[in-house]
Amino acid sequence: MTLNRQKSLARFREEEFDLAVIGAGINGAAVARDAAMRGLSVALIERGDFAGATSSRSSKLIHGGFRYLPQGQLKLVYGALRERERLRHLTAPHLVHPIQFLFPVYRGRGFNRFTMAMGLTLYDLFARVPFKEWHSTLNAAEVRETEPALSRDRLTGGAMYFDAWADDARLTFENVLDADLHGAAVANYTAVENFTMTNGRIALAGVRDMLGGQSGEVRARKFLNAAGPWVDEIRQMDDPLSKPCVRLTKGVHLVFARTVLPVRESLVLADNRGRIVFVMPHDRYVLVGTTDTDYAGDPASVTTGAGDVEYLLAVLAESLPGIKLGNADVAASFAGLRALIRTEKDAAAPSAVPREEVILESPSGLITVAGGKFTTHREIAQKLVDLVMKRLGRRAGVCPTLATPLPGARPLDEGEQPGSAAAMRSIGAAAAEILTARYGTRAPIVARIAARRPELAEPLSRGCPALGAEVVHSVASEMAHSVGDFLIRRTSLSWRSPLEAEAAAPAVAAIMAAELGWDRAREDAEVARFTHEQQSRRAVA
Ligand SMILES: Cc1cc2nc3c(=O)[nH]c(=O)nc-3n(C[C@H](O)[C@H](O)[C@H](O)COP(=O)(O)OP(=O)(O)OC[C@H]3O[C@@H](n4cnc5c(N)ncnc54)[C@H](O)[C@@H]3O)c2cc1C
């Protein structure tokens, strides 16, 4: 069974759904999955690509958020750590991996050794990790030995502790896929444009197919607004007098080749005011972020600015004084928007605004979710679906997502099994490893394509950890419609292997052209668009 956009659009026209979810970032995708698993008929409507906004631009951490402890956000940290452990060990072990951080402590900046040790003890207790994953404290000499590149000026010691990371876009996609597998009608590139009311309640949403241009409508008994940075735009469609409920702040990440930023460890650095910046080596590249500044522009146009690069380079220069980096060393960057709850504390610095989600209900019945952490998406969805069930007069029952693995973490359905082992063997160990890392137990579905067409069992460019067969699979079964859909969100190559991704763009476009019937002009335009975007994310003026 695969995602089929035309079928979903036909269902949008024909059915009345129990629930229509607007936005397929992680929150919308997780709600659609949970609701479909509880037996509701669900439409999941996404204006761009799945995870096309904030949910592919996070720091990729599945974490409790150590920095929230001093802010007293204990409930958030506890809940997030419980979710981290569930994802790591039960629901998404193929996508959520441990990451060990070195956290150096400097006199007069951020945490001191005592508060750090206290905080990490609480952190590990909340997570209930096994003893081998408990944090360890280090003296200054041990920190220097562990990461010689770190500044030694006023270094008093540090700690090593475990957290987790994941490919955020892929995790979002697995929620979308599971919603589909449980009967939801799912479509990307379909925008909600307006609502029609009956007796003061929303009865239908006007939608536009962003690929074909046609307009249509989706009827549902309940509508849920999970539009991330655009939640207020959707609330305005519902009630033009509604006040904004979110404050947008921008977060930028930079990617460097490991050859120019040769750190041994994942690091927790602090700026001169104690604000945390993560440095995370992933294979041949290092992800550095993030910033946190108010944003008032068009959410669709958020980009990395010169000031963002300057700030992150300054933190690196201060903490890793022997490593000289400049703008020209940035291999890629991405910028995302946090939709933080608006509070009376709006004068507070962005980093001080609570990260917990808020759930609002308007008189027309529209439910809005804003804020929250990627890590807590399942728990947020559980709360929302409990509420939807109540409003629909149904029993909420036991939430099925508490104990159900995502598709790539459970056995293939019987019909998908034949020939799996042989297909995985035939493509060789290196290719099998690439597919398993991305698709988990579903890797044989892609391997079968490569086994049938050996020319697609090769990497898309030199050193590129993706195969031609994945492009075919992404078009046939994952609703990819552009080179960017594949290189940015289906595989995350745009940040995990940015230079290899750029080199792979022509091969990706050629395979897509054959699958989707593009002419030469469209194929060239796709390569040009991706290359331009990738280069502009690299060369920040
Ligand atoms: C820089 C940064 C770093 C972060 N790091 C972490 C981290 O390391 N760990 C963590 O746990 N959390 C992190 N977060 C938070 C996390 O990324 C967000 O909480 C989460 O991604 C929000 O998901 P969402 O589904 O609400 O929004 P989004 O992912 O933005 O999804 C909203 C979707 O709604 C769609 N949409 C909008 N309007 C319409 C419409 N009219 N019709 C149809 N669809 C529409 C959009 O296209 C979009 O895809 C970070 C956030 C940022 C910005």
Side-chain angles (χ1 to χ4, degrees), residues 144-166:
R144 284 197 295 271
E145 197 184 320
T146 311
E147 184 56 78
L150 277 170
S151 165
R152 294 158 183 219
D153 185 26
R154 287 178 292 156
L155 178 70
T156 59
M160 301 286 290
Y161 75 99
F162 275 99
D163 234 321
W165 77 278

Side-chain angles (χ1 to χ4, degrees), residues 299-368:
S301 308
V302 61
T303 51
T304 304
D308 304 315
V309 179
E310 201 180 309
Y311 168 79
L312 291 171
L313 286 177
V315 174
L316 292 173
E318 168 129 22
S319 306
L320 303 164
I323 298 175
K324 306 290 175 214
L325 293 169
N327 280 23
D329 294 309
V330 177
S333 74
F334 53 90
L337 291 174
R338 302 172 188 84
L340 304 178
I341 312 158
R342 252 177 204 273
T343 62
E344 65 281 5
K345 281 207 214 149
D346 264 5
S351 300
V353 181
R355 261 47 178 177
E356 265 154 341
E357 77 283 359
V358 66
I359 296 173
L360 304 170
E361 262 184 292
S362 78
S364 69
L366 179 70
I367 298 175
T368 294

Side-chain angles (χ1 to χ4, degrees), residues 252-270:
V252 163
H253 289 83
L254 305 181
V255 181
F256 298 90
R258 216 160 165 173
T259 45
V260 299
L261 180 47
V263 284
R264 288 187 192 166
E265 305 289 336
S266 295
L267 302 172
V268 182
L269 305 180

Side-chain angles (χ1 to χ4, degrees), residues 17 50 101 438 511 525:
F17 294 91
F50 307 124
F101 282 105
R438 193 140 37 238
I511 298 170

Side-chain angles (χ1 to χ4, degrees), residues 419-429 431-433 435-436 440 443-445 447-448 451:
S420 291
M424 289 295 275
R425 270 197 308 275
S426 77
I427 60 172
E433 196 180 317
L435 297 188
T436 305
I445 298 173
R448 274 198 291 271

Side-chain angles (χ1 to χ4, degrees), residues 109-126:
R109 197 193 310 168
F111 292 87
N112 61 41
R113 284 182 74 186
F114 178 72
T115 52
M116 185 196 58
M118 290 285 290
L120 286 174
T121 301
L122 199 59
Y123 204 69
D124 289 341
L125 280 173
F126 277 180

Side-chain angles (χ1 to χ4, degrees), residues 22-28 45-49 51-55 57-63 190-192 226-230 233-234 237 249 251-253 290 336-338 371-375:
I22 303 163
I26 189 62
N27 283 333
I45 310 160
E46 166 53 52
R47 175 162 61 187
D49 191 17
T54 317
S55 297
R57 304 175 199 188
S58 79
S59 301
K60 328 290 176 193
L61 287 171
I62 300 298
H63 65 160
T190 306
V192 167
W230 294 271
E233 190 180 297
I234 300 288
M237 291 178 196
T249 75
V252 163
H253 289 83
T290 179
L337 291 174
R338 302 172 188 84
K373 298 284 298 167
F374 194 100
T375 307

